[in-house]
Amino acid sequence: MTNVATVLAKHPELAPRITRVIAVAGRRPGQRFTTGSTNAQGHRDFNFELDPEGFQRLLDSKVEIVLAPFEISSKIWLTAPDLDRLAASRSPAARALAPPARQWLALWTRLFGVDGFNPFDTLAVAYAISPANFACEALPARIDTQTDDVTEPGVQGVKVDRKPYLLASRDLAGATARVTYCSTAPDGFKEDLLGRLTR
């Protein structure tokens, strides 16, 4: 996002050449990013919160934005049997991916008390490759500053009183930007993902 926003700042005439930006970011108003039973205070929207100014520049530019947010990725879970499938694959890439994925799974189990993890960025890649059958809608969007909903600084970073939120909703009065907000992956997404990884 920072790279694209920098291009737009220095060369706004290039905006028509940007086909689309697909970002793993954003939420509906009032939505919290929570995982498992031990993280009731929620996650940060790191991809957005690290550069809200860049997102604002993109919203102002009228470049097409697709959001593949926590809402969609939180519905897809990779578990230990899925990683066993990677490890047993004939694909060298899948076998190489299995050990770090097991470490990631162990971290989620320890921190959040869950037996799987969400493959966040894979949803954005899947939309870029084949957007058909994703449940998405065109929504007004804007950045609002509100009370921080995270109280877990050990994992989520320094606690602040207020922070920016990238919001998308039909009910955002005065919002002038629009985004495509995706909430549900196609049926069979996980099987397709594992199939691609193990080829």
Side-chain angles (χ1 to χ4, degrees):
M1 184 57 60
T2 300
N3 291 343
V4 176
T6 300
V7 168
L8 291 171
K10 294 182 176 296
H11 298 283
E13 73 279 4
L14 296 180
R17 298 178 62 181
I18 301 173
T19 304
R20 170 189 307 123
V21 172
I22 305 171
V24 181
R27 67 179 79 193
R28 300 178 195 269
Q31 188 177 50
R32 297 174 67 239
F33 297 175
T34 59
T35 300
S37 60
T38 60
N39 190 41
Q41 301 305 322
H43 304 290
R44 295 198 177 284
D45 190 356
F46 276 117
N47 289 348
F48 162 70
E49 290 183 42
L50 289 174
D51 191 3
E53 295 82 6
F55 272 89
Q56 185 63 64
R57 185 175 298 279
L58 199 67
L59 290 172
D60 293 341
S61 74
K62 308 303 183 187
V63 167
E64 181 183 349
I65 303 171
V66 177
L67 299 181
F70 184 87
E71 179 174 347
I72 189 172
S73 58
S74 66
K75 298 174 182 177
I76 306 294
W77 288 88
L78 295 183
T79 62
D82 299 321
L83 305 188
D84 292 342
R85 180 174 169 184
L86 295 182
S89 169
R90 290 180 293 180
S91 165
R95 293 197 305 273
L97 184 60
R102 289 191 198 281
Q103 293 176 354
W104 189 241
L105 173 59
L107 178 71
W108 277 53
T109 301
R110 177 171 56 84
L111 291 179
F112 310 132
V114 292
D115 59 0
F117 62 86
N118 308 128
F120 299 104
D121 295 357
T122 61
L123 277 299
V125 174
Y127 185 92
I129 294 171
S130 181
N133 300 319
F134 276 78
C136 307
E137 55 186 325
L139 294 175
R142 72 172 180 226
I143 297 172
D144 282 354
T145 299
Q146 301 177 9
T147 302
D148 191 356
D149 66 350
V150 174
T151 60
E152 190 185 35
V155 175
Q156 298 297 322
V158 176
K159 171 68 177 163
V160 296
D161 292 331
R162 295 174 65 77
K163 69 175 184 181
Y165 291 79
L166 175 58
L167 302 176
S169 171
R170 289 191 186 93
D171 303 320
L172 287 180
T176 58
R178 295 187 72 81
V179 299
T180 299
Y181 184 96
C182 297
S183 58
T184 304
D187 291 340
F189 168 81
K190 177 176 157 178
E191 180 59 33
D192 182 63
L193 172 65
L194 292 171
R196 289 173 184 269
L197 290 173
T198 54
R199 284 179 191 161

